[in-house]
Amino acid sequence: MRYWKKFISTLFPIALAAMAGACARTGDGARFAVREAAVGGGALTAQLDWQPNETLLDGLDHGIPLVFEITLSAQAAGPLGWKTNIAEQRWRRELRYFPLTRQYQLRDPDLAQDNVQTRSYSVRQLVIAAIADLRLPLDPTMSAAAAQCYVLRIDLERDALPGALRLPAMIDADWRLSTGNYAWQPKSGTG
């Protein structure tokens, strides 16, 4: 019984300190939001406002890949006026730094063999600008969807982080990066 009391009395302050540290860093000025998005010409175009915090930049500069999941949903009015998804498409983009070549890379991790989807940059600001200016091809089902509304969401995949970093990323607010849902109505004549 004494062992459990000692274990809990040791674990509680550690957990409390970790939560306090995570909460204390939430107001560091990091921003990640969709400024503008449109669907047309068989592509999704989106302008993001992303000012990464020091934790993410430090991780990136030490070779930790940052994988973003991009989700676009086409919605229409469903039963009882609820919005329902009529089509959905997902993309993934990975930011990575290679210290030996001193190159930053933006690529689609699902198409690793296809070098067409890989772009290299020599400066970190250029790769951040590239992810903030998205142009992604649409599937024919998404292009043909008669959507009344589109919803775009971009999240940092914490599950794609290296194993040793996953637990700290669950606690640390610096690793919780999401634009939230950005919704807009299509312009007339586009779909």
Side-chain angles (χ1 to χ4, degrees), residues 101-116:
T101 61
R102 295 184 182 162
Q103 292 286 310
Y104 291 90
Q105 193 178 77
L106 174 63
R107 70 183 189 104
D108 183 346
D110 299 327
L111 300 174
Q113 307 89 335
D114 188 8
N115 289 332
V116 176

Side-chain angles (χ1 to χ4, degrees), residues 84-184:
T84 59
N85 285 350
I86 55 175
E88 184 175 272
Q89 186 172 354
R90 294 177 186 269
W91 301 268
R92 294 173 73 216
R93 291 296 178 264
E94 178 186 75
L95 299 181
R96 193 165 202 174
Y97 178 66
F98 294 94
L100 292 176
T101 61
R102 295 184 182 162
Q103 292 286 310
Y104 291 90
Q105 193 178 77
L106 174 63
R107 70 183 189 104
D108 183 346
D110 299 327
L111 300 174
Q113 307 89 335
D114 188 8
N115 289 332
V116 176
Q117 294 293 328
T118 301
R119 292 181 283 172
S120 294
Y121 302 89
S122 58
V123 180
R124 183 173 61 196
Q125 280 71 18
L126 293 176
V127 76
I128 291 172
I131 193 81
D133 185 22
L134 293 176
R135 182 166 174 77
L136 303 168
L138 293 175
D139 287 338
T141 55
M142 182 62 81
S143 296
Q148 295 175 341
C149 175
Y150 289 103
V151 178
L152 177 63
R153 181 179 184 93
I154 305 170
D155 297 300
L156 176 67
E157 286 186 11
R158 289 182 290 172
D159 292 340
L161 293 171
L165 193 55
R166 287 184 193 159
L167 182 60
M170 289 176 60
I171 297 169
D172 194 346
D174 287 347
W175 293 98
R176 280 184 231 123
L177 197 61
S178 176
T179 62
N181 290 336
Y182 178 82
W184 76 97

